[in-house]
Amino acid sequence: MTLVELLVAFGVFLILVGLLVSLSTAGLETWQDGESRKDSFDRGRLVLDQIGDDLRNLFADTQWHLLEGRRLVHAGLYCDAEGAGQRLRFVRVGHEDLMRPDLDKKIARPRSEGFYMDLWEVAYVLNPEGNPTGLYRGVRYFDRNAVDATLLEERTIEDTKSAAWGRNFNLLDSGVLWVGYRFWTRYTTTWDTQ
């Protein structure tokens, strides 16, 4: 073999190795993108499954309850827009073991509400002040006589370092950028928000 033939063979070898490396790099990047998307979809599915489970077990009052002329907390569906998304609050049915996302947290029972023990107040709050971005889920026993009327009381959700916040709310997922809820009521006439 001459020196020219050796140089040509070496050049062809380098071209083939370069093509193989670029093909391997492109394949690896495609695989990493797929894994990242799969992780995002899995996390999104877990969040939506939790919200769906809560909404499937929704409980709503058909009338207001009164005690000595005072209107008690209503087991209704409340939704408002604050910050980067919407806040949602409702009451659902469920067993205590299924409702506690953090098993170390003790959920205090209301003293005088023995016949409401299977009802829970649930709230979803996106990006509360003082916390990293994410979707938070709050859970507590539903108590019609509660001093803090709902989990969405301003003093509870504004002070994320308070004992009430720490006792009731857990981070559901930190990757949620926005969440919105659309639902139909007997007063709704269109999905158009304008």
Side-chain angles (χ1 to χ4, degrees), residues 143-194:
D143 181 5
R144 292 191 192 282
N145 296 309
V147 176
D148 295 329
T150 73
L151 283 171
L152 294 183
E153 286 295 311
E154 291 300 324
R155 63 181 169 216
T156 301
I157 61 176
E158 284 181 354
D159 185 9
T160 58
K161 300 198 181 353
S162 70
W165 176 270
R167 184 173 51 253
N168 297 320
F169 283 89
N170 283 325
L171 178 65
L172 195 57
D173 195 290
S174 61
V176 179
L177 300 177
W178 183 84
V179 65
Y181 311 97
R182 297 177 79 180
F183 47 90
W184 199 270
T185 71
R186 62 182 165 183
Y187 306 110
T188 308
T189 57
T190 177
W191 286 117
D192 188 8
T193 58
Q194 297 179 357

Side-chain angles (χ1 to χ4, degrees), residues 50-103:
Q50 179 65 67
I51 294 172
D53 179 59
D54 284 339
L55 290 175
R56 274 190 298 278
N57 292 291
L58 184 108
F59 171 84
D61 285 329
T62 56
Q63 63 187 12
W64 289 94
H65 293 271
L66 300 174
L67 177 67
E68 299 171 0
R70 181 175 67 92
R71 199 158 70 167
L72 300 179
V73 177
H74 190 61
L77 182 72
Y78 299 100
C79 185
D80 65 356
E82 281 293 324
Q86 288 181 305
R87 299 182 302 186
L88 181 68
R89 178 264 180 201
F90 53 91
V91 175
R92 69 159 283 178
V93 177
H95 189 271
E96 180 176 354
D97 294 339
L98 300 174
M99 297 305 300
R100 290 187 303 174
D102 184 354
L103 297 177

Side-chain angles (χ1 to χ4, degrees), residues 26 30 36 43 70 88 94 96 105-106 115 122 132 134-135 137 146 164 173 180 183 186 188:
T30 302
S36 175
R43 290 171 58 193
R70 181 175 67 92
L88 181 68
E96 180 176 354
K105 283 191 176 180
K106 178 90 173 128
F115 44 94
V122 177
L135 182 64
R137 177 178 179 255
D173 195 290
F183 47 90
R186 62 182 165 183
T188 308

